[in-house]
Amino acid sequence: MLEMTREEFEELVSEALDRIPPELTRLMDNVAVFVEDEPPPEDPELLGLYEGTPLTERGEWYAGVLPDRISIYMGPTLRLCRREGGDRELVVEEVEITVVHEIAHHFGIDDERLHTLGYS
């Protein structure tokens, strides 16, 4: 059975963030990434969530607001990987896909485009 501590999972999220090209991370603005145990009850299989105003929608009105929030959910990610019979490497892959997917939302890329690019 695939088991992972919260610390191990947080490290995978950190490593996925470190793999984002520096030219992109320099463009990220007013966004924070969090690891959560579980998503909202109404969407128990959600792997990640972006909440905020994408860079493409910000205007001169955008000032003094709280940071955008990216949440990566440990529980559903591990359950998905277990169902697929995966190991730690599958978790690494799923975390990276989820991190990239949510950061892409910060840049204004929608789910349809992400699906086309293989990040759904």
Side-chain angles (χ1 to χ4, degrees):
M1 174 165 275
L2 178 61
E3 295 296 326
M4 185 171 288
T5 67
R6 171 76 180 251
E7 287 178 339
E8 290 172 315
F9 191 82
E10 287 175 352
E11 183 61 28
L12 294 182
V13 172
S14 178
E15 290 169 1
L17 288 166
D18 288 345
R19 285 190 290 277
I20 303 294
E23 54 272 15
L24 290 180
T25 57
R26 280 193 293 273
L27 298 173
M28 292 173 64
D29 182 47
N30 201 32
V31 62
V33 179
F34 298 90
V35 171
E36 304 287 345
D37 291 330
E38 295 293 334
E42 62 272 8
D43 202 352
E45 298 303 313
L46 191 65
L47 303 182
L49 179 65
Y50 169 75
E51 299 170 285
T53 304
L55 295 174
T56 54
E57 295 178 18
R58 294 179 185 178
E60 55 190 56
W61 60 268
Y62 187 86
V65 299
L66 291 173
D68 292 2
R69 180 182 180 96
I70 292 174
S71 299
I72 308 298
Y73 300 111
M74 180 175 157
T77 302
L78 294 179
R79 288 191 294 274
L80 171 70
C81 293
R82 283 185 201 120
R83 277 194 309 271
E84 293 183 8
D87 56 9
R88 180 180 170 83
E89 289 307 310
L90 182 58
V91 177
V92 169
E93 182 180 321
E94 287 299 331
V95 165
E96 187 163 327
I97 288 169
T98 304
V99 166
V100 169
H101 181 105
E102 302 311 328
I103 288 173
H105 286 319
H106 176 68
F107 284 101
I109 301 171
D110 65 17
D111 282 328
E112 183 178 327
R113 179 71 177 136
L114 285 168
H115 180 73
T116 301
L117 296 171
Y119 288 98
S120 57

